[in-house]
Amino acid sequence: MEYRFLKVQNDGRGILTLTVSSPATLNALNSEILSELEDFVDSVSASSARVLVITGEGKAFVAGADISEMAGLDEKGGLAFGKHGARVFRKIELLDIPVIAAVNGFALGGGCELAMSCDIRIASAKASFGQPEVNLGIIPGFSGTYRLSKIAGQAYAKELIFTGRRIKAEEAFRIGLVSRVTEPEALMETAYSIAEEILTSAPLAVSYAKKCLNENYDLDSEGAIELENKWFAKCFATGDQKEGMSAFLDKRAPEFKNR
Ligand code: COA
């Protein structure tokens, strides 16, 4: 499928790279780009991809939702636009495979929210993050209030959201918004080295781990422990568990079959 605003690259070994590419507006997300993104995400499950890397073209990761489009919206339009973005980002979060955000530059508003819907976030030292919506008379609308609170804690989320303050990659690292900061030229290489490490893991175990981590996000401790018991047990019904443990005991490399 050809996209106008997305570049998709498949390395043929299981790593897909998605580049949001609308540099004239710093990759700002309008409805058309969101629809392309949704179409792409819907196609990922049917592919043989095992890791997805998302990045942005040029000096931005994504500089937010498209302000030109939002400027003309009324309340009903705002609801539809917010639901569209939130739905697409939730689909990214729920993909069976790990998603790595390689944040190359501005990740503001919807860009920060896009990164937060990914499982792993790494940033170039040039990247910056923020939820500047209050400066435009709105609040985060693609689930940023929810995810930023979960990731960085509510006090920090409130500070960033109420002030609209932009933070640099190092501060994003300090608050746990990203797990690594790299030199700008090393960003993609670092993303791919994480992806490569994931490729050596048992695919079903990675996918069960993701489901378990996603599902226990909103549970109390009893529920989360019980849920982990369930997913842990399910691993023992897979061939990959038999293969992984036999290979260890035989002192050889495992050959996982994703079943
Ligand atoms: N929506 C629509 N257009 C956007 C945009 C957005 N979120 N962010 C940037 N653009 C456009 C600019 O209007 C400009 O267009 P122009 O060349 O036709 O004037 C172009 O992208 C380049 O942006 P510019 O502001 O000139 O770049 P800069 O390097 O000086 O500043 C930012 C970069 C990211 C700091 C600045 O563009 C900005 O503050 N963007 C809005 C961020 C935001 O509020 N996001 C949340 C939206 S909910």
Side-chain angles (χ1 to χ4, degrees):
M1 170 96 190
E2 284 292 308
Y3 295 111
R4 197 166 149 216
F5 298 111
L6 305 180
K7 292 182 182 165
V8 180
Q9 188 200 328
N10 186 338
D11 79 339
R13 296 181 319 113
I15 304 175
L16 267 187
T17 303
L18 175 76
T19 306
V20 182
S21 178
S22 180
T25 51
L26 304 186
N27 308 327
L29 300 174
N30 58 25
S31 294
E32 201 179 342
I33 303 183
L34 283 173
S35 294
E36 287 196 355
L37 206 47
E38 185 162 22
D39 185 82
F40 166 75
V41 174
D42 286 344
S43 73
V44 169
S45 302
S47 76
S48 54
R50 292 195 35 214
V51 184
L52 169 63
V53 177
I54 301 183
T55 192
E57 176 111 34
K59 67 177 181 181
F61 177 68
V62 163
D66 191 317
I67 300 168
S68 316
E69 179 170 343
M70 288 191 295
L73 298 180
D74 60 9
E75 189 172 347
K76 198 169 156 220
L79 182 65
F81 191 63
K83 283 193 167 188
H84 191 185
R87 182 177 73 239
V88 178
F89 289 7
R90 182 71 172 149
K91 284 186 177 185
I92 293 172
E93 188 169 58
L94 293 179
L95 278 172
D96 280 342
I97 59 171
V99 184
I100 301 172
V103 182
N104 51 303
F106 297 112
L108 303 175
C112 189
E113 290 166 308
L114 172 61
M116 290 191 292
S117 72
C118 300
D119 300 301
I120 297 169
R121 287 167 292 284
I122 64 168
S124 147
K126 276 192 183 157
S128 58
F129 296 80
Q131 296 289 161
E133 287 88 348
V134 288
N135 298 325
L136 300 164
I138 58 171
I139 69 167
F142 295 166
S143 316
T145 56
Y146 169 70
R147 290 203 181 95
L148 188 55
S149 293
K150 286 282 190 181
I151 291 168
Q154 208 183 52
Y156 213 102
K158 283 179 172 171
E159 188 204 315
L160 286 188
I161 291 169
F162 295 171
T163 61
R165 182 164 71 86
R166 215 189 304 159
I167 61 172
K168 294 192 170 142
E170 276 305 331
E171 187 170 351
F173 174 72
R174 200 163 44 73
I175 66 170
L177 186 52
V178 300
S179 54
R180 296 193 204 183
V181 179
T182 73
E183 289 306 315
E185 55 283 359
L187 179 70
M188 295 313 288
E189 185 191 313
T190 306
Y192 291 133
S193 82
I194 296 171
E196 295 278 352
E197 275 190 67
I198 294 172
L199 287 190
T200 65
S201 311
L204 269 181
V206 171
S207 145
Y208 287 2
K210 175 167 173 172
K211 285 193 173 75
C212 183
L213 283 151
N214 275 353
E215 289 171 18
N216 75 20
Y217 210 52
D218 296 314
L219 295 178
D220 60 16
S221 51
E222 286 304 322
I225 290 166
E226 206 174 301
L227 186 83
E228 188 185 275
N229 289 155
K230 181 190 96 175
W231 283 109
F232 177 69
K234 274 174 84 71
C235 295
F236 290 85
T238 69
D240 281 354
Q241 175 265 333
K242 306 283 174 281
E243 168 61 13
M245 294 190 181
S246 307
F248 177 83
L249 296 172
D250 296 347
K251 302 189 187 311
R252 61 174 173 83
E255 284 180 43
F256 294 120
K257 300 273 191 321
N258 196 14
R259 55 174 193 250

